[in-house]
Amino acid sequence: MAESLKIALIGNPNTGKTSVFNHLTGLNQQVGNYPGITVERKTGSCKLPGNVKGNIIDLPGTYSLNASSIDENVVIELLLNKTDKDYPDVAVVVTDVENLKRNLLLFTQIKDLEIPTILAINMADRMDKKGISLDIPYLESRLNTKIALISSRKGTGIANLKELIVNYTNLSTEPCLHASSIDTEYFGRLRKAFPNELLYKLWLLITQDANFGLSHKNELMGTSFTKTRADLKRLQQKETIKRYQFINDVLKVGQVIDNSKAKDLRARLDRVLTHKVFGYVIFLGILMLIFQSIFSWSELPMGLIEDGTAWLSNFVVENMAPGKLSDLLANGVIAGIGGVVIFIPQIAFLFLFISLLEESGYMSRVVFLMDRIMKPFGLSGKSVVPLISGTACAIPAIMAARNIENWRERLITILVTPFTTCSARLPVYIILISLIIPENTIAGIFNLQGLTLMALYLLGFLGAIMAAWILNKILDTKHKSFFVAEMPNYKLPLLKNVSLNVLEKTKAFVYGAGKIILALSIIIWFLGTHGPGDDFDNVEKIVEGQEYKLLTPGEPDDAVAAYQLEHSYIGIMGKAIEPAIRPLGYDWKIGVAIVSSFAAREVFVGTLATIYNIGSSGEKEDDVTIRQRMAAEIDPLTGKKVFNFATGISLLLFYAFAMQCISTLAITKKETNSWKWPLIQLFGMSTFAYIVSLIAYQLLK
């Protein structure tokens, strides 16, 4: 393409900015982190009129350029630093037609930075319903910009927005108002000292934590321009008041709201969905529906994937020459990866439901509801966001705690968030529940397996709350905190947004887990097919020459394979830790799977799939799946099934509470800037998990 434009999408939370980003970029998106910090960064490309390519960066949601969190600081640092490779040629400020007054504060600040700026007024399809009309020419004149009236829901106005982006050089860079009038004497001295710098940029560098951009940074912060934090705060308040006065004057003429035409269903829904009794009943009902669906809807695709994996493994055995390579592919790679791929349907359905709740606006009501529960346990209302988002993954959930201003509340939130049941636990839960919980229904409606899954999720939240209460007592947190959350309008979820979110999150899970599992599957296969000394090398002679207890009586090949596996490197390792885990009901194979799953919880299933494949006789076994192998596994010491009810419950509780994720420990270290807290997290959670699992097994065996 002839050109490439850098476009920054900026806006308050809940203005539909992500929907606009999805309309512009489609599938051409990338998700990563900003250099040096773990704040999520979404970028994408799109084709613009005139054969122009647009490189779009979706900046974190912010209410103003007066940053109060690390996410918001990312926006300021980009807009102030012209040397940044992502510094935009044009900024698109996305606003919500129903909250235009509040959204325009950020717009007027960005205009003061003299960046070519387009005002995109979103949710135009709601104007008639809310009795809103806009005088676009008047607004464009007063705000010194061009306006794109769009509806990300209907997809209207996007073509016009693209045209305005391409013609960004025609946009006025004149500010809407000059903030210098709040203290003419002070700003006059700034202008005199730095005549070649933007005045508003100087002001932001003084009031914000920005450490770049001006060679005169030290001079700027010197005695002649230093003010106390209280004085700077008062000036910021004066600036905000002045901007809102200007915005009010503009909207008095440019926006007309006829409340008589509005039809407000939102208030009536909120009274029910956030009710102090019915709100929780409805939320519990929604959870039950979600977990019932995860089991029932995914049964067919899971079965197809499971059968396909077994077929592929058999195909490799039958069509490749016997040897180490075919054994590695069939019993290492395919078995290990297949142990996770089978759970794609459940993971996708979980993300589907979470996306629907977020897109509809209901998740914000859940956060509001849960705030009432969290406060007595020492958690901030803002802690609810990490705990809710932890159902997807603990890593971004811990990063989301950055919005909590108080350090102790933030620390407690970081430490307890891993108790929340993340998607990595789901494969473990699904396979264990299917082994020990019958597919019975209660009252002909509720599937017992689905209820068990929901109970495990609730148990995770309970664990997080109780851990927070204990930490609150230990850390002696005595302070007041306030919870401020915006309630977005209810809306029908956009199919495109939901689909992209499910696809992106499922891919991230599969690729992230797949890399770890592939590597570990190969390592485990090697350790399981090699061993030291004569016990491993002369296995057939040893088995023939002694009475060896067969796993399945009458099948000598299985005896050879089992004996060889026990005396392999992985068997020796498993036997070494078996005395510590026997009281929990686990054998050495489960012990190896638990140890390997400290890399990532979902590795548990892949590890067992690899071990059991290695432990088989190697003959053709049509459609023998990991679940069937686990169900048939016999403990040679007791002669009973390994995965019985007591062992299964013990394992479920262990995985509900144990800290088994190296990546989560790494992000905790980064966020707390200390190894002390992740080590407390690791040993505290794992010890608690061991004790609870021990008690459960001893009571149930």
Side-chain angles (χ1 to χ4, degrees), residues 134-145 147 246-255:
L134 299 174
D135 186 339
I136 299 298
Y138 175 82
L139 291 173
E140 288 182 333
S141 173
R142 291 297 306 275
L143 298 174
N144 292 328
T145 189
I147 294 175
F246 168 76
I247 292 167
N248 283 336
D249 288 341
V250 171
L251 294 183
K252 278 180 185 177
V253 178
Q255 182 187 51

Side-chain angles (χ1 to χ4, degrees), residues 475-609:
L475 297 175
D476 193 27
T477 309
K478 294 180 180 178
H479 62 277
K480 287 186 177 180
S481 63
F482 301 94
F483 176 52
V484 180
E486 182 178 353
M487 296 289 195
N489 288 313
Y490 294 104
K491 55 187 178 182
L492 289 173
L494 283 173
L495 179 61
K496 184 173 185 177
N497 284 358
V498 171
S499 301
L500 286 172
N501 192 42
V502 172
L503 179 64
E504 177 188 306
K505 295 288 176 65
T506 305
K507 278 171 55 182
F509 173 83
V510 173
Y511 291 163
K515 292 174 186 176
I516 299 171
I517 291 167
L518 178 60
L520 285 177
S521 294
I522 294 172
I523 293 170
I524 290 166
W525 170 84
F526 177 83
L527 294 175
T529 53
H530 296 76
D534 292 337
D535 277 342
F536 185 87
D537 294 333
N538 302 316
V539 57
E540 292 187 13
K541 292 180 181 178
I542 293 172
V543 171
E544 288 173 4
Q546 69 180 32
E547 186 178 346
Y548 182 75
K549 186 167 184 176
L550 301 180
L551 285 176
T552 307
E555 295 182 11
D557 286 338
D558 280 350
V560 170
Y563 186 88
Q564 190 173 48
L565 182 61
E566 268 193 63
H567 291 82
S568 66
Y569 290 116
I570 201 167
I572 294 169
M573 291 166 57
K575 290 290 184 179
I577 64 171
E578 192 172 34
I581 60 174
R582 262 295 171 186
L584 279 66
Y586 312 156
D587 65 3
W588 65 268
K589 296 179 183 178
I590 295 175
V592 171
I594 288 175
V595 171
S596 66
S597 66
F598 274 89
R601 294 178 181 95
E602 61 272 29
V603 173
F604 174 82
V605 182
T607 300
L608 285 181

Side-chain angles (χ1 to χ4, degrees), residues 653-666:
L653 290 174
F654 186 86
Y655 274 88
F657 296 125
M659 177 65 258
Q660 294 169 285
C661 182
I662 292 172
S663 300
T664 300
L665 292 172

Side-chain angles (χ1 to χ4, degrees), residues 6 41 128 197 218 227 315 333 347 384 391 506 539 571 581:
K6 287 176 284 187
R41 161 198 182 104
D128 288 340
E197 296 287 351
N218 292 333
K227 283 182 176 287
F315 179 82
V333 176
I347 300 295
V384 181
T391 54
T506 305
V539 57
I581 60 174

Side-chain angles (χ1 to χ4, degrees), residues 103-370:
N103 299 162
L104 284 175
L105 173 66
L106 176 63
F107 172 82
T108 61
Q109 288 179 309
I110 293 171
K111 282 287 289 178
D112 268 22
L113 293 174
E114 299 186 10
I115 298 171
T117 305
I118 298 166
L119 180 63
I121 301 179
N122 194 16
M123 305 184 194
D125 56 304
R126 298 181 62 85
M127 289 173 61
D128 288 340
K129 187 178 292 185
K130 293 295 180 179
I132 299 173
S133 61
L134 299 174
D135 186 339
I136 299 298
Y138 175 82
L139 291 173
E140 288 182 333
S141 173
R142 291 297 306 275
L143 298 174
N144 292 328
T145 189
K146 287 293 182 182
I147 294 175
L149 197 59
I150 64 175
S151 169
S152 56
R153 175 171 303 281
K154 304 286 188 181
T156 58
I158 301 298
N160 181 43
L161 176 60
K162 289 182 177 181
E163 286 283 353
L164 294 178
I165 291 172
V166 169
N167 296 304
Y168 76 98
T169 54
N170 297 328
L171 296 171
S172 170
T173 55
E174 181 69 23
C176 300
L177 74 162
H178 294 280
S180 57
S181 60
I182 60 177
D183 189 334
T184 53
E185 187 272 333
Y186 177 74
F187 279 89
R189 285 192 287 115
L190 274 176
R191 168 66 70 204
K192 188 174 181 180
F194 303 97
N196 297 321
E197 296 287 351
L198 281 175
L199 204 54
Y200 196 62
K201 178 180 178 181
L202 295 171
W203 172 240
L204 290 177
L205 285 168
I206 291 169
T207 56
Q208 308 301 317
D209 184 24
N211 300 307
F212 57 82
L214 285 177
S215 57
H216 309 294
K217 176 71 176 178
N218 292 333
E219 185 183 349
L220 180 65
M221 303 306 293
T223 55
S224 62
F225 302 111
T226 298
K227 283 182 176 287
T228 65
R229 291 305 305 173
D231 287 339
L232 288 174
K233 206 72 178 173
R234 277 193 289 272
L235 281 179
Q236 283 181 310
Q237 289 169 354
K238 286 183 69 174
E239 177 201 344
T240 301
I241 291 169
K242 183 178 178 63
R243 291 188 184 280
Y244 273 126
Q245 287 173 341
F246 168 76
I247 292 167
N248 283 336
D249 288 341
V250 171
L251 294 183
K252 278 180 185 177
V253 178
Q255 182 187 51
V256 176
I257 302 177
D258 186 351
N259 289 320
S260 65
K261 296 180 181 178
K263 304 167 185 176
D264 194 13
L265 179 63
R266 169 179 164 171
R268 282 176 283 175
L269 284 173
D270 276 346
R271 279 196 292 272
V272 176
L273 295 178
T274 61
H275 190 270
K276 60 183 179 181
V277 176
F278 298 122
Y280 295 105
V281 173
I282 292 169
F283 180 47
L284 190 63
I286 290 172
L287 286 180
M288 290 178 69
L289 175 64
I290 289 173
F291 295 122
Q292 295 294 313
S293 302
I294 285 176
F295 265 96
S296 58
W297 293 0
S298 59
E299 187 175 350
L300 177 60
M302 267 190 74
L304 293 174
I305 294 172
E306 197 171 34
D307 292 341
T309 304
W311 176 86
L312 183 60
S313 181
N314 290 327
F315 179 82
V316 169
V317 171
E318 292 172 359
N319 292 277
M320 288 186 67
K324 292 292 185 183
L325 180 59
S326 64
D327 192 29
L328 169 62
L329 290 176
N331 298 327
V333 176
I334 296 173
I337 296 297
V340 169
V341 173
I342 185 178
F343 297 105
I344 288 178
Q346 287 97 337
I347 300 295
F349 281 129
L350 177 65
F351 287 136
L352 170 65
F353 288 118
I354 291 174
S355 298
L356 290 173
L357 294 180
E358 288 176 343
E359 275 279 307
S360 66
Y362 178 68
M363 190 63 83
S364 297
R365 275 76 186 175
V366 172
V367 170
F368 174 76
L369 272 175
M370 298 303 291

Side-chain angles (χ1 to χ4, degrees), residues 374 377-390 394-420 464-465 467-469 471-472 475 477 479 664 668 671-672 681 685:
M374 298 298 174
F377 295 93
L379 289 168
S380 162
K382 292 182 179 179
S383 303
V384 181
V385 177
L387 290 176
I388 292 290
S389 58
I395 295 169
I398 287 173
M399 287 157 47
R402 291 174 171 186
N403 288 324
I404 303 171
E405 291 83 3
N406 183 279
W407 164 244
R408 285 184 175 180
E409 286 185 345
R410 182 176 171 229
L411 177 61
I412 292 174
T413 304
I414 288 171
L415 293 179
V416 305
T417 292
F419 277 107
T420 305
I465 291 172
W469 181 79
L471 287 168
N472 185 46
L475 297 175
T477 309
H479 62 277
T664 300
T668 299
E671 294 297 305
T672 60
Q681 202 175 45
M685 291 179 66

